[in-house]
Amino acid sequence: MLSEGRLISLLVETIRKAAVSLPPDVERRIREAYVNEESGRAREMLRAILDNIKLAREKGVPLCQDTGLISFYVRAGTKSPFIKPLCRILRRAVTIATKEIPLRPNAVDILTGVNSGDNTGSFIPWVSWELIPDEDLLEVTVFLKGGGSEAPCFSEVLSPAKGLRWAMKLVVNTIARHGPNPCPPLIIGIGLGGTFDIACNLAKKALLRPIGSLNPRSPLAKLEEAMLELINELGIGPYGVGGRTTALAVHVEAAHRHPATFSVAMCVNCWALRRATLSIGPDGHWAIRQ
Ligand code: SF4
């Protein structure tokens, strides 16, 4: 079994991986956009983003100065010895990672605005749990969510009479209104159905799906493709310079809804979709992947 100290150092490496190295699926999509983009200015901007990605990886420095707020998505077997101390371990790993990588401290008190100095604070890092009965495994995904792309995020509970068409209109209008501010090209997560908090959770988790994957339900997969097309027709382009690359992907996740409500939530991420996953098996074998 891994020691607590070893687990902390593996988590620090997982945070480092997320901060300095863009996942290959996201980089691949940016490369494809660069090849297919017709606007010269948009191509230049995509080239600069690709150079930034390469430099960050080579020099081992963060892809962006904005650390974002840090969330962890944990899948833990109920037999894992780390369940009880994990929240404390995650905070410790964030504190060390902030100092060692280094990461800009971003967590400030809601009333005083005072920065905690180490990217931890009340409910931060946020931890989402999924427990797997009778297993001894641990899978921790770290997600660094940039602040610039937070402003367009929203949730709304519509009447079913308004339904899907209205929800999609809201998504496109919100992206259009915020223009270059969330640092496009964007990855857009949309959550539908459930209660408002379920829709928000689905929208954020949708960002963690591999870029290029489609919703397994064919009508929702078609909706993803149609929304991507529509958003790219807005012509905002990378960092607002115009062109067809406003978004890299739209991911939709849906829950059953109450007959009287139609919840919709949108979670937006800039091109710097920083995530990495640490997996530990029962024999202590581990892997960090993106
Ligand atoms: S929104 Fe993304 S690219 Fe823009 S400053 Fe924040 S992390 Fe960086």
Side-chain angles (χ1 to χ4, degrees), residues 64-66 146-149 182-183 239 270-272 274:
C64 182
Q65 88 290 342
D66 173 12
S149 58
C183 301
Y239 282 95
C270 58
W271 61 269
R274 295 161 296 173

Side-chain angles (χ1 to χ4, degrees), residues 105-216:
N106 262 11
V108 302
D109 183 89
I110 196 75
L111 295 175
T112 63
V114 172
N115 195 318
S116 68
D118 65 0
N119 281 309
T120 73
S122 188
F123 294 110
I124 300 295
W126 181 260
V127 184
S128 286
W129 287 87
E130 186 187 336
L131 292 175
I132 320 287
D134 298 328
E135 299 261 354
D136 176 5
L137 59 86
L138 187 64
E139 201 176 274
V140 181
T141 297
V142 60
F143 183 14
L144 275 54
K145 174 76 177 69
S149 58
E150 275 294 284
C153 302
F154 75 87
S155 80
E156 210 161 317
V157 182
L158 303 171
S159 78
K162 286 186 168 162
L164 192 59
R165 275 183 79 84
W166 193 273
M168 294 308 110
K169 225 176 177 172
L170 270 178
V171 166
V172 177
N173 288 346
T174 307
I175 296 292
R177 200 170 68 245
H178 286 269
N181 295 340
C183 301
L186 309 170
I187 295 102
I188 297 166
I190 300 173
L192 298 173
T195 50
F196 92 97
D197 57 317
I198 293 173
C200 289
N201 271 317
L202 289 175
K204 189 163 181 189
K205 266 192 116 169
L207 295 177
L208 299 177
R209 252 174 53 195
I211 306 291
S213 65
L214 290 172
N215 187 294

